[in-house]
């Protein structure tokens, strides 16, 4: 074929000659477009061109049947992991209002990670005869702490913790109130008196358990602790628990439970079962102050105490 014969194939629209490679590329791109549109076959004709390597596949049908997820069988262990309820943060909206600083954020689950980081177990144990001395060292650090300026300026004194240095059971509360701030001891007000009755109903005494709060200073007006305040204070409580290494921790109220277990779940959902934090088994229940407002909830707290008693081998 002459050179002029090679150029005889032209675009009827523009009259410009096509190079055969361009023709093949154009047809190839057209077939790929048809394939992506779901066309599996083309009508045959005498002018059919074959392009090695191009295979048109029938579109795969999408399975629209609903997926079935088998329910997880109930755990037979004595404790379960705290529910993971952390949600991804939503992107900030345009023209949004000023975001609060960490000191302005009330407790409701923490984006910054666990305040009480879990671990497989406690560290090396402290001999019983040395525990009182080590706790006193931490107590002096707490007494001189000014990490939270507002709390340091408004408190009468810090509230560290009281009880046995080798307890099987520790009660972890929220923060001191007015009576605690005045006397320097946790749970001595009306809620504390009710806690004492609960402990005695368990055939124990305050001297046989250990009682502490997540926050060592009274928040002004008995407001909820702020996240930054808990972050500043949590190391003291962790060190206390590392020294005490109790078998059981009873969280009193949502602040203590959410802080220790790093969850947003309500206390109503958390109570009634054991969780694990390091070497301790954790049970959450209602705060005694809540029982003073809602006496009907006392039966739920007593049921939770009976769970602890059963695990401790008590009648």
């Amino acid at each position: 074929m002459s050179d002029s014969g090679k150029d005889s194939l032209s675009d009827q629209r523009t009259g410009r000659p096509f190079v055969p490679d361009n023709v093949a590329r154009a047809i190839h791109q057209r077939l790929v477009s048809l394939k992506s549109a779901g066309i599996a076959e083309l009508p045959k004709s005498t002018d059919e061109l074959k392009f090695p390597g191009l295979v048109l596949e029938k579109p795969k049908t999408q399975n629209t049947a609903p997926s079935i997820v088998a329910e997880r069988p109930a755990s037979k262990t004595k404790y379960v992991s705290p529910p993971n309820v952390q949600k991804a943060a939503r992107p900030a909206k345009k023209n949004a209002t000023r975001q609060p600083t960490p000191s302005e954020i009330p407790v409701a689950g923490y984006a910054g990670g666990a305040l009480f980081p879990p671990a497989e177990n406690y560290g090396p144990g402290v001999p019983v005869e040395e525990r009182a001395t080590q706790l006193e060292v931490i107590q002096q650090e707490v007494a001189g702490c000014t990490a939270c300026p507002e709390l340091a300026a408004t408190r009468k004194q810090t509230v560290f913790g009281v009880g046995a240095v080798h307890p099987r059971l520790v009660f972890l509360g929220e923060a001191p109130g007015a009576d605690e701030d005045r006397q320097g001891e946790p749970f001595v007000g009306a809620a504390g008196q009710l806690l004492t009755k609960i402990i005695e109903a368990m055939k124990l005494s305050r001297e046989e358990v250990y009682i502490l709060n997540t926050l060592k200073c009274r928040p002004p007006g008995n407001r909820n602790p702020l996240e930054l305040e808990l972050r500043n204070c949590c190391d003291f409580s962790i060190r206390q628990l590392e020294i005490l290494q109790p078998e059981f921790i009873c969280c009193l109220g949502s602040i203590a439970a959410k802080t220790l277990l790093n969850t947003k779940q309500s206390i109503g959902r958390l109570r009634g079962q054991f969780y694990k934090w390091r070497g301790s088994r954790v049970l959450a229940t209602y705060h005694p102050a809540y029982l003073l407002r809602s006496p009907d909830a006392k039966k739920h707290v007593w049921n939770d105490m009976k769970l602890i008693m059963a695990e401790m081998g008590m009648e």
Side-chain angles (χ1 to χ4, degrees), residues 53-255:
L54 177 62
V55 180
L56 292 176
E57 299 177 351
K58 293 184 177 180
K60 296 180 180 180
T61 58
Q62 185 177 1
N63 183 13
T64 58
S67 60
I68 300 176
V69 180
E71 293 185 358
R72 185 179 297 177
S75 173
K76 295 182 180 180
T77 59
K78 294 295 184 179
Y79 53 80
V80 297
S81 299
N84 182 9
V85 296
Q86 301 291 344
K87 297 181 180 179
R90 296 181 179 178
K93 297 180 180 180
K94 293 183 179 180
N95 301 324
T97 57
R98 181 184 68 83
Q99 295 297 316
T101 62
S103 63
E104 297 171 334
I105 302 175
V107 173
Y110 315 107
L115 299 183
F116 284 70
E120 287 299 320
N121 213 321
Y122 289 108
V126 178
V128 176
E129 61 273 14
E130 298 178 13
R131 293 185 178 187
T133 301
Q134 292 199 18
L135 288 170
E136 185 176 352
V137 171
I138 304 173
Q139 184 173 6
Q140 293 302 317
E141 293 180 31
V142 170
C145 179
T146 57
C148 304
E150 182 184 17
L151 302 187
T154 57
R155 75 192 180 203
K156 286 184 173 62
Q157 58 185 316
T158 57
V159 181
F160 184 67
V162 293
V165 296
H166 186 50
R168 296 186 66 191
L169 174 61
V170 163
F171 288 93
L172 177 65
E174 175 188 321
D179 293 314
E180 290 75 18
D181 181 54
R182 183 171 54 255
Q183 299 184 40
E185 184 175 329
F187 285 91
V188 292
Q193 294 172 19
L194 179 55
L195 176 61
T196 299
K197 292 180 179 180
I198 293 172
I199 294 172
E200 292 174 347
M202 298 173 69
K203 307 302 181 183
L204 294 170
S205 66
R206 286 177 66 108
E207 292 73 26
E208 293 177 279
V209 300
Y210 194 90
I211 306 172
L212 72 156
N213 285 311
T214 56
L215 203 65
K216 309 305 182 187
C217 297
R218 180 198 180 196
N222 288 342
R223 61 162 171 77
N224 284 344
L226 304 177
E227 179 181 354
L228 182 61
E229 294 168 351
L230 288 171
R231 289 193 181 282
N232 289 337
C233 216
C234 66
D235 183 63
F236 295 128
S237 298
I238 291 175
R239 290 164 63 189
Q240 284 176 278
L241 293 173
E242 278 285 357
I243 292 173
L244 299 171
Q245 299 194 7
E247 293 179 48
F248 299 89
I249 300 175
C250 180
C251 293
L252 300 172
S254 63
I255 300 297

Side-chain angles (χ1 to χ4, degrees), residues 18-31 49 51:
F18 279 99
V19 178
D21 288 343
N22 291 344
V23 176
R25 189 179 299 110
I27 297 174
H28 185 275
Q29 292 175 349
R30 177 61 175 165
L31 291 177
L49 296 176
F51 297 92

